[in-house]
Amino acid sequence: YTGGTPNTSTAEFWAEDEDKCSIPWVAISDITKSDKILESTSKKISIVGREDKGLDILPKGTLLMSIFASLGKTTRLGIEATINQAILGLVPNEKLSLDFLEYLLVDAEKYVSYYSSVSTQENLNLSKIKNLQFPLPTFQEQTQIAHYLDYQTNIIDQLISKKQKLIELLKEKRQAIINEAVTKGLNPNAKMKDSGIEWLGEVPEEWAVTSIKNILSIPITDGPHTTPTLIDNGIPFISAESIKNGKIDFNKKRGDISEVDYEIFSKKYVPQVEDIFMVKSGATTGNVAMVESEIKFTIWSPLAVFRANKKKVLAQYLHYYLQSGSMKSAVEINWSYGTQQNIGMGVLSNIAITYPSLIEQKEIVLYLNRQVAGFEKLLEKTLVCIEKLKEYRQSIISEAVTGKIDVRDWQAPNN
């Protein structure tokens, strides 16, 4: 099956979820979000829209394959649906097991790009997919191979799931330790006072409570709101996608800009070591990172800049505070929604912060550096383990569907 997209400017071609006559319409994003079985779609079309494009309604169980952008991604329809032109629907004949075909295509994903055409993005077409060649054992052996792979991949998937849950627990524990240290201190016997702030609660009696703007050396600013032309091998241009886990990931930069654009952008703001960035709009609002090197770069408007007044607060302490659960709660309480969540610099300036003396701040920073380093090692090891499990999963599928391992006499263990 091939698909298509009804005219997006014609309202009658599209339908709302509650419309009883609506027909699910699959886009590539629905495939990438699905977990093996696609049970819902983000958009639906009307009967008129389907008829206008002559779209087939694919039966439940149809195997879907992306032939544009995310090449080779597959899923299985758990519902009846139509598809767009970037997807193929595959239904095998009596010679081919659907389960075996699905594993064949999972294996094929790693090399299917060799058959693609390149314009602005890689893509395949119906003719190329129809002419792909695969080894084909008997139907009985196909069924046995699929049964074997169902068992093995299920074990691996469960292990991956447990590792992913461990990562979430480690991140939660990491944030809890940071929050405890920057709002309660390291002395469990310290006398406490009511901060008067809902998301702070009680804080040590000798600690100051003030607005963030009062402990900064410059007012909170952001990057320019103009969009530069991106070039190859220029000056790194950083936005929200680079801000993750307290660090700037330059591998996730928006792109590079020219010296001319850099000079224009620098009239508003030039990054300095120990400046702290917070994402102030989009899905990752509240994410924080600190400038740790003197690499030459510039930033875009979704990032707010905090520069600590070092006579009052250490930059590292402020960095940890901005990552705390208390700060996260304050941001979530105060952000607003338009097309996406966002928080203004004026609002950020007036959010409360609590802090001790510079001497105690230094002790807290040293303590958190040790604690966070331990969590980072565990997180890194767990991520490496997940990648190895995924590679192992892919290897088992490849070995089985190409006959490198003989599973004809295999039986699942009773336990």
Side-chain angles (χ1 to χ4, degrees), residues 94-151:
E94 69 282 354
K95 297 178 182 179
L96 187 61
S97 157
L98 178 63
D99 296 329
F100 181 74
L101 173 60
E102 187 166 19
Y103 282 119
L104 273 177
L105 293 177
V106 169
D107 180 47
E109 186 182 337
K110 64 181 181 290
Y111 63 81
V112 76
S113 61
Y114 292 124
Y115 296 90
S116 69
S117 302
V118 179
S119 49
T120 54
Q121 297 189 73
E122 290 187 319
N123 61 85
L124 296 163
N125 59 37
L126 177 60
S127 176
K128 289 177 180 178
I129 294 298
K130 288 172 76 172
N131 286 292
L132 288 176
Q133 294 190 337
F134 296 104
L136 190 65
T138 64
F139 192 90
Q140 182 179 357
E141 194 170 350
Q142 291 175 43
T143 304
Q144 177 71 351
I145 289 170
H147 182 47
Y148 167 80
L149 288 175
D150 285 344
Y151 179 84

Side-chain angles (χ1 to χ4, degrees), residues 204-261:
E205 196 172 58
E206 297 179 356
W207 286 27
V209 177
T210 189
S211 298
I212 285 178
K213 64 185 177 185
N214 296 324
I215 51 88
L216 301 179
S217 62
I218 62 171
I220 295 176
T221 186
D222 61 359
H225 290 238
T226 53
T227 304
T229 300
L230 300 181
I231 64 171
D232 294 328
N233 302 317
I235 297 166
F237 179 55
I238 299 301
S239 192
E241 55 268 25
S242 296
I243 309 305
K244 194 174 183 181
N245 298 328
K247 297 181 182 296
I248 302 171
D249 184 353
F250 284 92
N251 292 321
K252 300 290 185 181
K253 63 186 176 182
R254 178 60 61 102
D256 288 345
I257 63 174
S258 67
E259 284 282 354
V260 173
D261 279 338

Side-chain angles (χ1 to χ4, degrees), residues 209-408:
V209 177
T210 189
S211 298
I212 285 178
K213 64 185 177 185
N214 296 324
I215 51 88
L216 301 179
S217 62
I218 62 171
I220 295 176
T221 186
D222 61 359
H225 290 238
T226 53
T227 304
T229 300
L230 300 181
I231 64 171
D232 294 328
N233 302 317
I235 297 166
F237 179 55
I238 299 301
S239 192
E241 55 268 25
S242 296
I243 309 305
K244 194 174 183 181
N245 298 328
K247 297 181 182 296
I248 302 171
D249 184 353
F250 284 92
N251 292 321
K252 300 290 185 181
K253 63 186 176 182
R254 178 60 61 102
D256 288 345
I257 63 174
S258 67
E259 284 282 354
V260 173
D261 279 338
Y262 173 76
E263 291 301 324
I264 294 171
F265 272 45
S266 296
K267 290 177 181 178
K268 182 174 185 182
Y269 167 72
V270 178
Q272 292 185 12
V273 173
E274 294 192 339
D275 280 356
I276 303 162
F277 302 142
M278 176 182 284
V279 180
K280 63 182 177 68
S281 63
T284 57
T285 296
N287 280 9
V288 174
M290 177 183 275
V291 180
E292 297 179 331
S293 72
E294 295 183 354
I295 184 172
K296 187 177 180 180
F297 72 98
T298 190
I299 66 170
W300 204 21
S301 57
L303 302 184
V305 181
F306 297 75
R307 186 174 291 170
N309 180 343
K310 295 178 183 178
K311 293 181 180 179
K312 295 182 178 181
V313 65
L314 299 176
Q316 294 93 337
Y317 179 87
L318 177 59
H319 184 218
Y320 278 126
Y321 187 88
L322 294 177
Q323 295 176 72
S324 69
S326 294
M327 185 65 190
K328 182 180 179 182
S329 296
V331 168
E332 290 178 354
I333 288 170
N334 286 285
W335 68 28
S336 58
Y337 284 93
T339 53
Q340 58 186 358
Q341 62 202 31
N342 64 84
I343 188 165
M345 292 182 290
V347 176
L348 287 171
S349 297
N350 288 303
I351 287 177
I353 182 172
T354 182
Y355 62 97
S357 67
L358 289 172
I359 293 174
E360 193 172 347
Q361 287 180 46
K362 187 174 182 180
E363 292 173 352
I364 290 171
V365 167
L366 291 173
Y367 165 78
L368 287 177
N369 285 347
R370 291 192 299 269
Q371 293 293 321
V372 169
F375 280 106
E376 292 301 327
K377 286 181 180 177
L378 282 171
L379 284 167
E380 186 177 347
K381 286 181 179 179
T382 308
L383 287 169
V384 169
C385 185
I386 288 174
E387 287 307 308
K388 287 185 176 180
L389 284 168
K390 288 180 177 178
E391 289 172 7
Y392 180 53
R393 185 184 192 278
Q394 189 71 30
S395 175
I396 284 179
I397 292 173
S398 182
E399 295 285 292
V401 299
T402 56
K404 302 296 191 304
I405 52 177
D406 187 349
V407 300
R408 285 173 293 184

